[in-house]
Amino acid sequence: MTVKIRMAQPGDEAELTAMVRELAEFEHAADQCTLTPELLTTALFGDSPTVWAHLAEVDGKPAGCALWYRTFSSWDGVA
């Protein structure tokens, strides 16, 4: 078994969206998940990215992901 973890790249959006939707279903919140591959493309690869992601692959097939983002409260001055 070969495991590889890499940064998300253009073309991964559909698989990442599917994983997020699968998590939403597991959490009984599928009706609250409005993510689309197009929204994720902009968020990950637009002029000002607002989210970053890694994709885990096992034997060359997507097996998991991690998405993260920064937040900052302008009122409190902290992240």
Side-chain angles (χ1 to χ4, degrees), residues 12-48:
D12 291 333
E13 300 89 344
E15 189 62 49
L16 290 167
T17 299
M19 289 183 195
V20 170
R21 289 184 171 276
E22 187 175 337
L23 175 60
E25 284 184 39
F26 175 80
E27 295 290 342
H28 305 288
D31 60 321
Q32 298 173 38
C33 184
T34 59
L35 182 66
T36 65
E38 294 78 18
L39 289 171
L40 197 52
T41 296
T42 300
L44 284 168
F45 307 116
D47 292 336
S48 298

Side-chain angles (χ1 to χ4, degrees), residues 54-73:
H54 276 86
L55 188 65
E57 298 175 331
V58 175
D59 294 332
K61 296 179 182 177
C65 67
L67 287 93
W68 69 94
Y69 52 90
R70 298 180 190 158
T71 59
F72 181 82
S73 171

